[in-house]
Amino acid sequence: MKRKSEQNVFDRTGFLWQAWVHNCAATDVFDQRTAPLSAEKLSKLLGNPKLDSCNVRNFLNVPNTTRMHTEHPGECEHRKNTFLQWHRAELYFYELALQAADPEGLFGPSTMNVTLPYWNFTKKPSGVRYPKAFENSNSPLYDSTRTRDPLLQSLPQTSPYLMAYQIYYLDWNAFGGGEPGQSLGGKLETQIHNKMHLGYVNGNMGDNTSAGLDPIFYVFHNFLDYSLDKWMQEHGTQQLSESNRSTYLRGEQDDSLRKPPGFNTGSGAEKRTDSGAYTENMGPAGIYLNTKDLGYGFQSQNADEFIRRDEIQALINGHAQAGYVFGDNQISLFSALLSHSTSEAAAYPQLTRTGTYTIPDTIITSPNLASVTFSRSDQARDYSFQADVYLYPGDVEVAIANKEFRDRYLIASTAYWALNGHHMHGGVQFDEEVTGIINSLVSKKHGQEWKLTVAISGNSTAPIEEKDFSVPKIVLSLKSAK
């Protein structure tokens, strides 16, 4: 696929264009749609995350006389309920492009039957930090921009218990994301995906405008796709709203690649006549709900890739036994879920904001829900951050640097990945249901004033200011209809 991009950077089945499907809302293309790039220059391009590859003038010689037009490779979806379907569509076409790379076997074994593997990053890697194949510097799978430090512990970065808990116990809105316009990412995105991109892999993977340039992106996201498949096996698709099915997924793919059943591009923008044979988009999200319809499935070669439901239920039961009151345990359920990984709450946040909450006199009953909510204001300078949320008695002093405090009172954690381009959002809304936690407090703590603290940690040099974030609060709302 990289060789195809060397022959022509505008080849939609080449590695660079497939990366642009994720990275780029628009790029200027030579009218003749042909431009070679040497292997040396492509390697230099892939090794520089700060060089905007969406602008071909950054790496191609473009004389003033060159006639160009704008095309729209794609750009990924984030913080909405099409996040997982969009990436599934991207992976579907990427695998077809991979198979079309060298089907005759002119440069090595035929790629005709190659399938895209997944990297289960909730297990200890075969290499020092990644799958061993991706750490071979002589391999086309290698990316020099990644963090290469070995794991300091024998634990993975992402907890398999947190992943399994999300799959078994979260409804679609919590797992997959909120409706378009709400800017609410699902927990798979905000608690797992974001921390792996920015904080673990980094380099090209650290920014949404360059992430697709790293080959590990595709096996990483393929395991998220496996997680989506597992969630649907557990819950079906009945919870998905109309927008999950009817939204057209942006992405211009080569028309030669096989379309999934039910494919259509709707009645959107008129097709350009100067851009060769291409699809205007990747079709409606609803055609990507069943992997069997798409012609693939997932298979584990060893044990099951996910912790069993009964093991997660036993963990929950241990924190909800008779007489249990949140905060009286030495470790909260959320801390227990995280404890099987190196991902944990930050001990030294850059900013804290604290509100108060009076424990109600009666338990909260359906269809009501209690949720922790706070927001970050609209920002001209978007930046990434991690937010850890603590709920604790009013007479307890906040002591986030103390691990015992963090373990006992942590109720939620999220990571926001700064977005750019077409899908950049202004304000960032955080919403976490805590009905069960509140109800566990009612019998013994009702009427007490507790504290609610959100601790913000930055992942960049951008300053984090108190005025950016609202004071956290717990609000009562009605459960949304499925």
Side-chain angles (χ1 to χ4, degrees):
M1 291 177 71
K2 289 182 177 179
R3 184 179 289 109
K4 282 191 172 184
S5 293
E6 292 165 13
Q7 295 169 347
N8 179 14
V9 298
F10 303 125
D11 185 337
R12 293 190 178 95
T13 64
F15 182 78
L16 189 55
W17 184 278
Q18 287 297 311
W20 285 348
V21 169
H22 178 272
N23 300 345
C24 306
T27 187
D28 288 336
V29 176
F30 295 177
D31 278 1
Q32 72 272 25
R33 297 204 86 261
T34 301
L37 186 69
S38 70
E40 180 183 359
K41 288 185 176 179
L42 177 62
S43 178
K44 188 175 181 180
L45 169 65
L46 299 178
N48 185 0
K50 295 183 179 180
L51 180 68
D52 179 12
S53 77
C54 301
N55 184 351
V56 298
R57 292 171 178 81
N58 288 334
F59 58 90
L60 287 179
N61 180 28
V62 184
N64 293 333
T65 56
T66 302
R67 295 177 61 86
M68 305 180 75
H69 64 275
T70 301
E71 296 187 8
H72 303 277
E75 197 174 45
C76 55
E77 298 282 1
H78 283 272
R79 297 191 67 79
K80 62 186 71 171
N81 61 12
T82 51
F83 164 72
L84 289 166
Q85 296 99 304
W86 188 93
H87 285 83
R88 172 170 285 183
E90 175 199 28
L91 295 172
Y92 169 83
F93 281 103
Y94 182 86
E95 183 173 86
L96 293 176
L98 185 64
Q99 292 167 349
D102 186 19
E104 294 84 12
L106 300 178
F107 301 98
S110 167
T111 61
M112 184 181 301
N113 297 314
V114 171
T115 55
L116 188 63
Y118 59 83
W119 165 32
N120 185 343
F121 49 85
T122 71
K123 295 184 177 181
K124 187 178 179 181
S126 57
V128 298
R129 192 178 181 91
Y130 308 105
K132 186 177 293 186
F134 288 80
E135 295 181 343
N136 178 1
S137 60
N138 295 318
S139 168
L141 301 176
Y142 185 74
D143 186 298
S144 63
T145 70
R146 296 177 205 136
T147 296
R148 296 192 293 275
D149 298 336
L151 290 173
L152 299 180
Q153 305 178 43
S154 60
L155 296 172
Q157 165 72 5
T158 297
S159 168
Y161 287 80
L162 178 61
M163 174 77 85
Y165 176 83
Q166 291 184 354
I167 289 170
Y168 298 131
Y169 294 98
L170 297 187
D171 67 14
W172 175 251
N173 286 345
F175 181 80
E179 289 291 320
Q182 293 181 336
S183 189
L184 289 174
K187 299 299 183 289
L188 187 67
E189 178 185 358
T190 61
Q191 293 180 343
I192 291 177
H193 164 274
N194 291 354
K195 290 185 177 182
M196 288 296 295
H197 266 285
L198 185 63
Y200 189 77
V201 183
N202 304 306
N204 278 323
M205 281 276 281
D207 192 293
N208 68 284
T209 62
S210 58
L213 297 174
D214 187 341
I216 210 167
F217 169 92
Y218 303 94
V219 296
F220 163 69
H221 267 277
N222 212 25
F223 187 62
L224 295 178
D225 193 46
Y226 194 173
S227 305
L228 169 61
D229 192 54
K230 182 73 171 177
W231 187 94
M232 288 186 172
Q233 289 175 23
E234 294 290 324
H235 302 275
T237 60
Q238 295 81 5
Q239 296 181 24
L240 276 65
S241 69
E242 177 59 25
S243 64
N244 283 125
R245 305 171 192 273
S246 61
T247 300
Y248 283 84
L249 306 175
R250 57 181 177 238
E252 294 184 356
Q253 297 286 354
D254 194 273
D255 207 34
S256 67
L257 300 177
R258 185 180 70 251
K259 316 300 186 300
F263 179 85
N264 70 87
T265 56
S267 56
E270 186 176 349
K271 201 167 185 179
R272 297 184 304 269
T273 59
D274 55 8
S275 303
Y278 72 100
T279 64
E280 296 99 311
N281 55 61
M282 295 189 292
I287 66 175
Y288 292 98
L289 299 181
N290 189 325
T291 60
K292 290 183 180 178
D293 291 343
L294 301 174
Y296 73 94
F298 292 97
Q299 179 181 14
S300 173
Q301 299 217 348
N302 301 304
D304 193 348
E305 300 290 358
F306 303 98
I307 302 294
R308 298 191 315 272
R309 178 190 282 268
D310 58 359
E311 192 170 345
I312 301 299
Q313 187 60 55
L315 185 64
I316 294 172
N317 293 343
H319 286 77
Q321 54 192 308
Y324 158 69
V325 176
F326 172 76
D328 288 350
N329 275 8
Q330 294 299 311
I331 183 170
S332 70
L333 174 60
F334 194 80
S335 293
L337 291 171
L338 286 181
S339 66
H340 301 275
S341 68
T342 58
S343 179
E344 60 181 5
Y348 300 100
Q350 293 168 254
L351 170 72
T352 60
R353 299 227 63 185
T354 299
T356 59
Y357 177 70
T358 302
I359 308 302
D361 293 328
T362 58
I363 65 170
I364 300 165
T365 57
S366 182
N368 296 306
L369 296 174
S371 298
V372 172
T373 181
F374 70 90
S375 61
R376 192 199 69 182
S377 61
D378 191 351
Q379 294 290 313
R381 50 172 190 87
D382 200 9
Y383 56 83
S384 302
F385 63 88
Q386 176 173 321
D388 306 312
V389 183
Y390 301 90
L391 180 64
Y392 51 101
D395 59 356
V396 171
E397 290 295 323
V398 63
I400 295 174
N402 186 312
K403 189 175 187 324
E404 290 184 4
F405 178 92
R406 299 197 306 276
D407 283 347
R408 176 174 289 193
Y409 298 116
L410 181 70
I411 61 171
S413 180
T414 188
Y416 172 72
W417 190 30
L419 301 174
N420 299 283
H422 181 268
H423 58 189
M424 184 173 69
H425 302 282
V428 180
Q429 182 72 28
F430 175 89
D431 189 85
E432 175 82 16
E433 192 209 333
V434 290
T435 311
I437 291 173
I438 299 304
N439 284 343
S440 74
L441 293 166
V442 170
S443 64
K444 295 183 180 180
K445 313 291 185 181
H446 62 90
Q448 292 184 8
E449 187 174 272
W450 279 42
K451 295 176 185 175
L452 184 66
T453 292
V454 57
I456 309 295
S457 306
N459 286 307
S460 68
T461 56
I464 295 177
E465 301 179 18
E466 184 174 304
K467 65 180 178 61
D468 292 350
F469 292 88
S470 67
V471 172
K473 56 185 177 180
I474 295 178
V475 299
L476 202 63
S477 61
L478 291 176
K479 189 174 185 179
S480 61
K482 297 295 186 293

